[in-house]
Amino acid sequence: MYCTSCGVELQDEMRFCNRCGAVQAAATPAVQTVTGSVSPQSRVAATNDIVYAGFWRRWAALFIDQLVLGIPLVIVAILLAILFGLLSHGNDETAGVIVQGIYYLLWLVAAPLYYAFQESSSQQATLGKRALGIKVTDRSGNRISFANALGRWFAAALSYITLYIGFLMAAFTERKQGLHDMIAGTLVTDRWAFTEYPERQKRGLSGCLVVFIIGIVVIIPLTAILAAIAISQYQDYVIRSQVSEGSSLIDGTKTAVVEYLNNNNAFPSENAAAGLAPPDSIAGNYVSSVEVGSDGT
């Protein structure tokens, strides 16, 4: 610092110049101007306005993702079953083991890549999560890396091992984290959380989600029950039809057998002796033949 009157250098922020006695003005601290914008994550985090995805939204998203992954793999498995069935020349047991092994191998390759690529993408969500309006972030609301997303998928195995309790934790933890979220350091939030538009976040269950839950929890089980009843009734009808046809064909032979027994005091040894058509000629949809034996059967 220098004297404003005589220009001599002052020591230790002196307010008076020893040379000329001039009084020095108080130094004005420098003000630093920070340029640039504050990230949306910082602005929203400061307000604590974050809507975490609850158990039902996450479960519905998982259901959709399982369909997206499972249906193509089932189709592939069916095609492989047909192929191996033709190549195995009737050895269904070997073909079944091979197809099942290939199906699980495809699942173990497709599933982690499906989740990791999409949850680390710019959308931060799988197709199921996008449909339910949710996304995956780190603890600060930032986009996660591919490695983090891949580790999160493998961590989900612990939730399966714990009889799905790891998934159920999302309904009770403070930030709606499942066990695998805690291990991977991730959050599942509304798609508008940690953005410039936090007011667009959906709180509570949306109408579409309610309809979806009703459809999964009520309609599908009810349909399955009705289908099981229908199948049981159809099987009963088939059995009754088979028994009815057999009884009808046998009734036609009883008269000829009884007449032969009255005339010869013995049972006929074959159909021709009783005046009946050959066994293969007495047949129906469920009965291949009716043959008379020497003991009357």
Side-chain angles (χ1 to χ4, degrees):
M1 182 176 178
Y2 296 88
C3 178
T4 57
S5 297
C6 64
V8 69
E9 183 177 1
L10 305 179
Q11 301 296 326
D12 300 326
E13 303 295 331
M14 295 174 60
R15 298 295 306 277
F16 300 93
C17 178
N18 292 332
R19 181 177 178 182
C20 66
V23 179
Q24 308 300 312
T28 303
V31 178
Q32 293 182 346
T33 302
V34 179
T35 60
S37 60
V38 182
S39 67
Q41 288 85 353
S42 299
R43 287 199 297 271
V44 178
T47 65
N48 293 321
D49 187 15
I50 302 170
V51 176
Y52 300 103
F55 173 78
W56 285 111
R57 289 178 77 178
R58 297 180 60 167
W59 182 82
L62 176 63
F63 183 85
I64 294 174
D65 286 326
Q66 295 299 317
L67 289 180
V68 171
L69 273 171
I71 291 176
L73 292 180
V74 168
I75 294 174
V76 171
I78 292 174
L79 294 177
L80 290 175
I82 295 173
L83 176 62
F84 282 106
L86 295 174
L87 296 178
S88 62
H89 302 291
N91 191 349
D92 296 334
E93 183 176 353
T94 301
V97 171
I98 293 175
V99 170
Q100 190 175 24
I102 292 177
Y103 173 82
Y104 285 117
L105 180 62
L106 290 175
W107 176 269
L108 290 175
V109 173
L113 292 179
Y114 171 81
Y115 282 93
F117 272 118
Q118 296 203 61
E119 291 179 353
S120 62
S121 68
S122 59
Q123 297 291 330
Q124 299 178 247
T126 59
L127 296 178
K129 289 183 175 67
R130 295 181 204 181
L132 273 297
I134 59 180
K135 66 181 179 181
V136 179
T137 74
D138 65 11
R139 290 191 180 99
S140 300
N142 300 308
R143 174 179 167 184
I144 63 176
S145 65
F146 176 84
N148 195 358
L150 190 62
R152 182 177 184 271
W153 185 88
F154 282 104
L158 296 176
S159 296
Y160 288 106
I161 293 174
T162 56
L163 302 177
Y164 294 88
I165 294 176
F167 292 114
L168 190 60
M169 288 172 60
F172 304 102
T173 53
E174 181 180 0
R175 296 197 287 178
K176 308 298 183 183
Q177 288 179 294
L179 178 60
H180 54 294
D181 289 313
M182 295 180 177
I183 295 173
T186 57
L187 301 171
V188 181
T189 68
D190 187 273
R191 61 175 297 192
W192 293 107
F194 299 107
T195 69
E196 296 180 342
Y197 309 101
E199 68 279 0
R200 297 183 182 179
Q201 298 178 93
K202 291 182 174 63
R203 292 167 172 80
L205 299 179
S206 65
C208 293
L209 180 57
V210 171
V211 172
F212 181 85
I213 292 173
I214 293 175
I216 297 300
V217 176
V218 178
I219 296 178
I220 290 182
L222 181 60
T223 303
I225 293 172
L226 293 177
I229 295 174
I231 292 173
S232 176
Q233 292 298 318
Y234 174 75
Q235 291 175 337
D236 183 63
Y237 166 76
V238 171
I239 293 173
R240 285 189 282 106
S241 298
Q242 293 172 344
V243 173
S244 176
E245 182 183 77
S247 298
S248 176
L249 292 173
I250 291 175
D251 287 341
T253 65
K254 284 181 179 179
T255 302
V257 172
V258 171
E259 183 178 350
Y260 184 90
L261 177 63
N262 292 333
N263 293 333
N264 300 280
N265 200 28
F267 289 105
S269 59
E270 57 182 0
N271 286 27
L276 297 171
D280 293 340
S281 299
I282 307 175
N285 294 325
Y286 304 108
V287 178
S288 59
S289 64
V290 176
E291 182 176 3
V292 177
S294 58
D295 57 353
T297 59

